């Protein structure tokens, strides 16, 4: 929002990134270039390496090989907190609330640490993030007392409070009812129209297709399909991944 | 409870409560500072112990309760603080200035040690801090000038015992007041939220931009300085160190854990209550010898079983009270139709000005 990248200029570039835990290769040579303002969806079976890819992008995990560039800067060796301050927001698939803090204070942590705000500006940012995630009503509730849906929304609110340029969403719609899912889709779509670049991992394909303009399919640590969402969903590669059969 | 609507909310830091706390606090501090003029020295000198117990409990609570660093090695800094008094006293400083200078020097040592300690997590961190404390004791007893393994007295001290007690009393009071005020403002600052987020989930805190090591290091050093100040006070009160194994004793950590758990971990009020409970127990039951420790143990077990939040935690959940407000509360600024906010000229008793300003801007 503050920095408007020209059309086609990549905000995020993932270049031949690999990640292995000992002998287990989770990601092998992943290439991904995401232009500023794009909404990108990632699908793939369990264990394909989707969450690991987000972790390598935001710095929660270090890549074993390859480089990650964000806003033109090489951030491969940059710690996660510095990447967050540079404008990467991330939600976790299994919510990680700050259980003893209130919902507002959870968001405030993002607004102060991530967005670097203080005083009234930080309060306002955190309140705006709660409003966007529809959590203002439970602002004073201890985060540890939230039900699953609340925890998922809290993940989103906290990430938004950091004022991200790039938002990494990890299965934020999983486990929601259809109505809840629709309101979440509306929220994410409005974030997209505000110009925030989004990378969204999701098993609920219907929700994903309602927002993203590009879809990537990840399987056994490599990208097997990348392109226009409906074409990707129809492609032989994706059918093979989900339904079995020769690639 | 009123519903919270976007654009019609503000954050209440309980500023009014803070002002009340400051006024009452100032009164209490003043009264305590004047107490030696009213009470016998034998009484006020006993309070010195209460002051350093509160300091120790508050420091350990900041470390473990707010920053999630469970240390059993704070006696390292207590011992170094006590011995630091000798070092600077021998260099020509008076004992009271020595206490302050030594504590700052120990803060620098703790800063260096944090790079070692932070390589360890959870239980390993706890054991590591204990190892550091043992190492500190082993190093200190190598020095003959510090009395080797036998303890030592302060060589250059105020001659008049009454004045000596008085100065130590004021120093201990000043230290506990500084510790409490410092902790309160630290927790109300941005760092307070960052620390608690690290305590609750380090990975998520980092992903939100919290510089985890920096936040922890600040608290680690502050807690060490507070422990060192307490150690220096112990040294001044006893006019020296009885033995290195006493001042570096791990039982200090046990008592800190006791005080914080009894009072209520993760609250500012809890350690004060815990320290008072421990102080009173110590005053009246310590002659019981071994049975005293049994009573302490039973009390600790009973409270963790039946009041897991500690005494203050139980009181707070029952009566919704706060002595030292560190939290944030989101409140509605909207008011019923017709009740327009007061103009600048109208008196608004018991209303903070920023609340008025906030409601005025949202309605404007």
């Amino acid at each position: 929002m503050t920095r408007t990248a020209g059309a086609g200029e990549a905000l995020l570039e993932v270049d031949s990134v690999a990640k292995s835990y000992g002998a287990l290769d989770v990601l092998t040579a992943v290439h991904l270039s995401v232009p500023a303002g794009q909404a990108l969806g990632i699908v793939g079976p369990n264990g394909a390496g989707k969450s690991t890819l987000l972790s390598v992008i935001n710095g929660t995990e270090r890549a074993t090989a390859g480089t990650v560039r964000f806003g033109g800067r090489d951030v491969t060796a940059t710690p996660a907190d510095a990447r967050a301050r540079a404008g990467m927001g991330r939600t976790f698939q299994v919510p990680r609330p700050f259980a003893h803090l209130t919902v507002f204070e959870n968001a405030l942590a993002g607004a102060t640490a991530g967005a670097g705000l203080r005083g009234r500006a930080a309060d306002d940012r955190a309140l705006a993030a709660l409003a966007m995630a529809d959590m203002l009503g439970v602002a004073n509730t201890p985060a540890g007392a939230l039900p699953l849906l609340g925890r998922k929304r809290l993940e989103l609110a906290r990430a938004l409070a950091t004022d991200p340029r790039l938002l990494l969403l990890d299965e934020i719609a999983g486990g929601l009812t259809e109505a809840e899912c629709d309101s979440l889709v509306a929220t994410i779509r409005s974030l997209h129209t505000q110009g925030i670049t989004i990378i969204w991992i999701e098993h609920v394909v219907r929700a994903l297709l309602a927002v993203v303009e590009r879809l990537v399919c990840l399987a056994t640590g490599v990208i097997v399909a990348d392109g226009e969402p409906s074409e990707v969903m129809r492609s032989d590669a994706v059918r093979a991944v989900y339904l079995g059969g020769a690639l | 409870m009123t519903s919270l609507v976007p654009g019609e909310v503000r954050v209440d830091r309980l500023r009014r409560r803070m002002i009340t706390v400051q006024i009452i606090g100032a009164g209490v501090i003043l009264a305590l500072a004047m107490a030696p003029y009213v009470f016998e020295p034998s009484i006020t000198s006993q309070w010195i112990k209460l002051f350093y117990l509160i300091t120790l409990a508050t420091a350990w609570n900041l470390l473990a309760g707010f920053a999630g660093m469970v240390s059993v090695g704070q006696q390292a800094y207590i011992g170094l603080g006590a011995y630091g008094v000798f070092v600077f006293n021998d260099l020509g400083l008076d004992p009271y200035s020595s206490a302050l200078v030594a504590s700052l020097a120990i803060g620098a040592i703790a800063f260096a040690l944090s790079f070692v300690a932070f390589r360890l997590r959870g239980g390993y961190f706890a054991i590591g801090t204990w190892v550091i404390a043992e190492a500190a004791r082993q190093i200190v007893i190598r020095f003959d000038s510090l009395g080797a393994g036998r303890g030592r007295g302060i060589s250059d001290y105020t001659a008049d015992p009454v004045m000596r007690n008085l100065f130590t009393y004021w120093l201990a009071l000043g230290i506990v007041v500084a510790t409490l005020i410092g902790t309160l403002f630290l927790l109300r600052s941005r760092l307070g939220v960052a620390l608690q987020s690290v305590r609750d989930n380090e990975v998520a805190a980092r992903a939100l931009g919290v510089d985890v090591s920096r936040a922890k290091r600040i608290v680690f050093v502050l807690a060490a300085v507070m422990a060192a100040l307490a150690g220096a006070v112990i040294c001044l009160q006893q006019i020296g160190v009885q033995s290195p194994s006493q001042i570096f004793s791990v039982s200090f950590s046990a008592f800190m854990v006791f005080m914080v758990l009894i009072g209520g971990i993760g609250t500012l009020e809890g350690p004060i209550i815990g320290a008072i409970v421990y102080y009173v127990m110590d005053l009246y039951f310590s002659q019981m010898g071994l049975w005293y420790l049994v009573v302490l143990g039973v009390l600790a077990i009973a409270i963790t079983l039946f009041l897991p939040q500690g005494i203050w935690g139980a009181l707070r959940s029952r009566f919704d009270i706060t002595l030292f407000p560190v939290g944030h509360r989101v409140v509605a600024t909207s008011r019923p139709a017709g009740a327009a906010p007061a103009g600048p000229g109208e008196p608004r008793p018991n209303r903070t000005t920023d609340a008025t300003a906030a409601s005025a801007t949202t309605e404007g």
Side-chain angles (χ1 to χ4, degrees):
Chain A
M1 284 183 288
T2 44
R3 271 182 47 167
T4 45
E9 190 186 314
L11 178 66
L12 178 77
E13 265 182 288
V14 175
D15 192 10
S16 35
V17 156
K19 175 72 193 176
S20 43
Y21 299 96
L24 180 69
D25 296 329
V26 181
L27 297 173
T28 46
V30 172
H31 296 270
L32 194 63
S33 178
V34 185
Q38 189 172 66
L40 167 75
I42 299 181
V43 292
N46 291 326
K50 303 184 298 294
S51 292
T52 305
L53 178 59
L54 282 204
S55 289
V56 168
I57 291 173
N58 95 310
T60 297
E61 304 271 1
R62 289 282 171 85
T64 316
T67 56
V68 179
R69 265 189 299 279
F70 180 58
R73 260 183 52 232
D74 186 346
V75 295
T76 317
T78 309
D81 55 309
R83 294 192 210 186
R85 293 193 294 272
M88 277 193 200
R90 190 239 165 111
T91 72
F92 289 92
Q93 181 183 358
V94 178
R96 295 171 170 272
F98 305 135
H100 298 93
L101 295 179
T102 67
V103 165
F104 170 77
E105 286 161 343
N106 269 256
L108 189 65
T112 50
L117 301 170
R118 52 176 74 229
R120 270 294 285 278
D123 291 349
D124 289 345
R125 177 76 218 163
L127 289 172
L130 290 185
M132 274 190 266
D134 199 15
M135 291 209 82
L136 215 44
V138 288
N140 297 317
T141 306
L146 290 176
L148 179 68
L149 170 64
R151 288 171 185 230
K152 292 233 170 199
R153 284 192 178 279
L154 181 61
E155 285 286 324
L156 179 64
R158 271 194 329 202
L160 287 176
T162 67
D163 201 5
R165 283 192 286 161
L166 172 65
L167 188 57
L168 306 165
L169 302 172
D170 197 349
E171 297 205 15
I172 194 113
L176 303 190
T177 67
E178 209 151 303
E180 288 165 354
C181 189
D182 287 344
S183 87
L184 189 72
V185 163
T187 305
I188 295 171
R189 196 190 277 139
S190 86
L191 296 172
H192 178 39
T193 53
Q194 286 169 37
I196 299 176
T197 311
I198 293 168
I199 300 180
W200 185 4
I201 294 175
E202 195 54 76
H203 278 302
V204 186
V205 176
R206 188 182 63 85
L208 203 55
L209 295 188
V211 176
V212 300
E213 59 227 15
R214 177 183 166 197
L215 195 64
V216 159
C217 178
L218 198 67
T220 59
V222 287
I223 290 176
V224 294
D226 181 353
E228 203 276 320
S230 55
E231 279 174 26
V232 167
M233 288 310 290
R234 278 197 307 268
S235 70
D236 292 341
V238 171
R239 282 165 176 274
V241 162
Y242 278 101
L243 304 173
L247 270 170
Chain B
M1 194 181 136
T2 47
S3 62
L4 301 169
V5 185
E8 294 180 4
V9 286
R10 67 181 177 86
V11 178
D12 184 13
R13 297 303 312 273
L14 296 169
R15 286 227 172 77
R16 258 191 301 159
R17 180 74 58 83
M18 272 297 275
I19 294 164
T20 319
V21 166
Q22 279 162 16
I23 293 169
I24 295 173
V28 171
I29 293 164
L30 200 66
L32 286 173
M34 301 305 240
Y37 296 107
V38 181
F39 297 101
E40 292 292 312
S42 59
I43 294 172
T44 47
S45 66
Q46 282 186 331
W47 294 358
I48 295 172
K49 178 162 189 176
L50 177 61
F51 295 158
Y52 75 68
L53 286 176
I54 295 176
T55 305
L56 287 175
T58 303
W60 193 82
N61 181 49
L62 179 63
L63 203 57
F66 285 104
M69 288 180 279
V70 178
S71 163
V72 288
Q74 287 304 94
Q75 64 273 17
Y77 311 107
I78 299 173
L80 289 175
Y83 275 98
V85 172
F86 300 137
V87 173
F88 290 98
N89 189 220
D90 291 350
L91 290 173
L93 277 180
D94 69 86
Y96 312 103
S97 311
S98 298
L100 300 177
V101 175
S103 302
L104 291 180
I106 287 153
I109 293 172
F111 178 78
L113 286 173
S114 72
F115 289 89
V116 182
F118 287 5
R119 300 182 70 89
L120 304 169
R121 309 260 133 173
Y124 297 98
F125 173 83
I127 293 166
T129 54
W130 192 355
V131 171
I132 289 172
E134 265 313 292
R137 184 178 72 88
Q138 293 288 345
I139 291 169
V140 164
I141 62 174
R142 303 281 147 215
F143 290 93
D144 287 336
S145 62
L146 296 177
R150 295 181 305 277
R152 218 199 100 168
I154 300 175
S155 39
D156 176 23
Y157 209 174
T158 316
D160 180 1
V162 175
M163 291 312 285
R164 200 162 61 206
N165 245 323
L166 205 53
F167 286 140
T168 309
Y169 176 87
W170 280 326
L171 182 73
L173 177 63
I175 287 168
V176 69
V177 166
T179 299
L180 289 172
I181 292 177
T183 308
L184 175 60
F185 280 89
L186 177 90
L187 291 173
R188 281 176 67 90
S189 76
R190 301 201 295 176
L191 187 63
V193 173
L195 278 176
Q196 295 175 75
S197 72
V198 171
R199 173 197 64 197
D200 284 357
N201 198 305
E202 202 169 308
V203 172
R206 203 169 264 134
L208 287 180
V210 177
D211 189 338
V212 172
S213 302
R214 178 178 160 272
K216 279 186 169 181
R217 189 158 287 128
I218 292 172
V219 166
F220 189 80
V221 171
L222 281 178
V225 172
M226 292 171 191
L229 287 167
V233 168
I234 295 171
C235 177
L236 292 178
Q237 195 193 21
Q238 301 177 347
I239 322 176
V241 170
Q242 285 162 8
S243 79
S245 48
Q246 181 243 340
I247 200 78
F248 280 105
S249 168
V250 73
S251 55
F252 274 117
S253 278
F255 294 139
M256 282 184 248
V257 175
F258 175 84
M259 290 185 284
V260 172
L261 289 186
I262 291 277
I265 192 165
T267 66
L268 256 173
E269 298 86 348
I272 302 175
I273 293 174
I276 293 171
V277 169
Y278 173 70
Y279 173 76
V280 170
M281 301 269 302
D282 191 66
L283 204 58
Y284 294 106
F285 302 107
S286 58
Q287 316 89 310
M288 288 165 63
L290 270 180
W291 280 105
Y292 164 59
L293 293 175
V294 173
V295 170
L296 279 189
V298 168
L299 185 64
I301 292 170
I303 293 225
T304 40
L305 280 179
F306 300 110
L307 300 173
Q309 311 255 283
I311 294 171
W312 183 257
L315 286 174
R316 191 174 56 168
S317 58
R318 202 177 170 113
F319 302 110
D320 191 30
I321 41 172
T322 315
L323 219 54
F324 301 120
V326 295
H328 304 71
R329 189 164 292 184
V330 179
V331 294
T333 52
S334 57
R335 52 193 75 248
E346 287 177 54
R348 289 185 67 87
N350 298 326
R351 254 330 208 147
T352 51
T353 45
D354 63 325
T356 320
S359 61
T361 45
T362 46
E363 276 164 65

